[in-house]
Amino acid sequence: MKYCMSCQSKSVVFGKTKIKVGREFFETNAEHCSICNKVAISPKLQKQIDEWALQFTKSIIEIQPFFSKKMSSRIEFYARSFNLNKSEFMKLCTAFYLLEMTRLKNFKTLRENIFIESQKIFNGEKSKICVSIKYQLFKKITLYAEMWNLEYESNVMEEAVQFCIFILDNQSGMIEESKKIKLVNFVEYHAMAS
Amino acid sequence: MLSENEFIKKFQSAKSHFERVQIYIFEQRYQIWMRGDKPNLNGNEFVKPILNLPINHPCIYRQRKTGGLGLRFIIEFRYSVAIFGAIKKIYFKGYFTHDWTLKLEVQSLRDNNEV
């Protein structure tokens, strides 16, 4: 047995171990610590995990973002106008936010400003909505949560939906019209294909 | 990907251990030590930026007390990763094993959590 790099106990073995991916478990043979449960993941093993996770036709995890009543009604309104269900609309908003909006040069400032403005508009008691997501989106969401120190994956979706609803409403004139057009096109294209 | 012999030659001709780390990462000969119950599924995103650092990037070497066979020191350094508009400080700790693999741990550092 070897000493673990993390917990420093002599408990590193090579053998069967489970790696949690969303709510599923990937079973493999790898070097792992039997005490702290750390696993050595190589790019090859990561690729195997990716391939395994992409085989799931169902979702890999269910996240539960919380939204105020006002926000929920806006989500419902836009989902209906794009002929999508609420869950699909929220996933599209999250994808757009992560793939397009985070690339903006002034993203950090915009994120802060929109968050402050949204809190003023969409305040009130919050209730949860369950959204099932697949591996590709889950992976991006976890990366964003890690980078911005967000505690839960659902916080990412809350942020993304809030951001996109703010763009679509654009009552304050804070957002350039081009971003709204880009978002509308993005959702329309994907709604057409879904 | 380099053959075993080519890789060993490249390892031997490297000017610093940090450059060796870069070779291992480029050749994908690394293993990240991470939590099995909540693994970082984007581990490679956090090591890729190491390839863009200069070969004289400041490193610390410590005697190794953990792990298996390999070079008897641990290499440590800090760097930054920029993804999704956020910049994160990363602490890297790794060692070279006898089977030409780089075993490493990458931890994100928060301002109040310096290692």
Side-chain angles (χ1 to χ4, degrees), chain B residues 5 34 44 71 81 93 98 111:
Chain B
N5 282 343
M34 57 175 90
N44 56 341
L71 297 182
V81 170
K93 181 169 98 171
H98 70 299
D111 292 337

Side-chain angles (χ1 to χ4, degrees), chain A residues 2-6 19-20 31 37-43 46 98 102 139 142-144 146-149, chain B residues 28 30-34 36-37 39 41-42 46 66-68 81 84-86 88 93 103 105 108 110:
Chain A
K2 297 175 198 170
Y3 285 95
C4 173
M5 261 176 107
S6 296
I19 299 165
K20 197 173 182 209
E31 204 167 36
N37 194 25
K38 289 232 174 169
V39 191
I41 300 186
S42 63
Q46 181 61 59
L98 297 177
T102 55
K139 220 175 146 181
T142 53
L143 181 59
Y144 184 89
E146 173 74 33
M147 289 308 293
W148 286 98
N149 300 328
Chain B
Q28 305 218 323
Y30 62 86
Q31 290 182 336
I32 308 177
W33 198 233
M34 57 175 90
D37 61 340
L41 300 164
N42 303 283
F46 288 87
T66 58
V81 170
F84 287 143
K88 211 162 180 76
K93 181 169 98 171
K103 283 262 163 65
E105 225 183 2
S108 50
R110 298 196 181 172

Side-chain angles (χ1 to χ4, degrees), chain B residues 29-76:
Chain B
R29 283 176 177 260
Y30 62 86
Q31 290 182 336
I32 308 177
W33 198 233
M34 57 175 90
R35 282 173 62 175
D37 61 340
K38 202 183 177 190
N40 185 337
L41 300 164
N42 303 283
N44 56 341
E45 297 287 339
F46 288 87
V47 295
K48 266 194 297 190
I50 295 172
L51 296 173
N52 300 325
L53 298 171
I55 56 167
N56 58 355
H57 186 73
C59 300
I60 297 169
Y61 299 94
R62 289 185 213 275
Q63 198 192 344
R64 184 160 66 85
K65 291 168 191 159
T66 58
L69 295 172
L71 297 182
R72 299 304 308 164
F73 63 86
I74 275 187
I75 179 168
E76 294 175 9

